[in-house]
Amino acid sequence: MASLKEIKIRLASIRNTQKITSAMKMVSSAKLHHTQTIVEHMLAYESKLSVLLNGVLAAESDLNSPYTAQRKVKQVAIVAFSSSTGLCGAFNANIWKELSARLHRYEADGIAVRLYPVGKKVADELYKAGYQTDDSFLLIADKLKYEDASQLATALMTLYTSGEADRVELLYHHFKNMAEQILTEKIFLPVTLPERDPESFSANYILEPSSEHLLALLLPKVLHLHIYTTMLDNATAEHAARMLAMQTANDNANDL
């Protein structure tokens, strides 16, 4: 049986742990509210811009763009978003589990994969597994800037239009609420334009400039914005996951 002195030392250790977990929870809470406010505004803006693009261009026919070209998939680029630090529950483990399964599936199908990790945790797992990665954008999620997201989007768009990738995929966590972060997979490229539906439009649109010019102008803007909102969404989910993990750790310390 433990002596009284050993019990007191143990209690002091647990109290110190509680102070750390409480402090980390408060920091994550502050960061969560900050990013949540930004992502709500940006998602609303992206949604309105997409509605504008889809609504106007759906009234036109035979519109083509380098970013809408459909090709047989022989090469895939995957951008996997994780955190650069730990103590956020199963947040990073879920990303790696899905990414690993996807990589094995593509290997079995003979599809070449280019990997773009955003966040140190998923990059570390890829290194351990022996995969080669492009680390040009590894740390852009540490400081969320539109310029960095725009550079990543431009690199992916160039990769697609040059034929070095037949599809570009995004793998990240979507923030649903404080208790739930949804692992999300999206096809970034090629873009699927809305099908023409004449019955949904009561008037003929006269576009100035032309619909082709609007497509060339708006589509890259939407793609750049989509990468930025994805980064914000993933960061918000990370802070929520860490906040929940620290709350659980604090509760366990109370039980001890």
Side-chain angles (χ1 to χ4, degrees), residues 106-253:
Y106 283 147
E107 287 174 3
D109 295 338
I111 297 175
V113 179
R114 299 172 69 107
L115 294 165
Y116 291 82
V118 179
K120 291 181 180 179
K121 290 300 180 180
V122 70
D124 289 343
E125 294 295 341
L126 289 168
Y127 299 155
K128 292 176 186 176
Y131 291 102
Q132 291 185 345
T133 63
D134 188 323
D135 296 337
S136 304
F137 307 97
L138 184 62
L139 302 177
I140 63 173
D142 293 350
K143 293 183 179 179
L144 299 171
K145 295 181 180 178
Y146 179 79
E147 291 78 10
D148 293 336
S150 181
Q151 290 178 7
L152 174 57
T154 300
L156 296 174
M157 291 156 66
T158 302
L159 197 69
Y160 184 77
T161 54
S162 66
E164 296 181 65
D166 302 311
R167 188 168 67 210
V168 180
E169 300 176 353
L170 306 179
L171 186 61
Y172 66 100
H173 277 93
H174 167 63
F175 173 78
K176 182 177 181 181
N177 53 49
M178 293 292 297
E180 188 175 4
Q181 299 83 45
I182 303 172
L183 185 62
T184 305
E185 310 154 20
K186 281 187 179 179
I187 296 178
F188 180 65
L189 290 169
V191 176
T192 302
L193 289 177
E195 295 183 0
R196 178 178 168 83
D197 184 9
E199 296 181 359
S200 64
F201 296 90
S202 57
N204 292 324
Y205 286 89
I206 299 175
L207 302 177
E208 182 67 31
S210 66
S211 55
E212 290 81 6
H213 188 84
L214 277 175
L215 182 64
L217 178 69
L218 288 177
L219 193 51
K221 187 176 183 65
V222 170
L223 291 172
H224 284 216
L225 192 61
H226 186 58
I227 291 292
Y228 184 52
T229 53
T230 298
M231 286 172 54
L232 287 170
D233 201 8
N234 187 76
T236 306
E238 177 193 343
H239 296 320
R242 183 169 288 107
M243 186 177 172
L244 184 62
M246 292 301 97
Q247 179 61 54
T248 302
N250 204 37
D251 292 342
N252 290 338

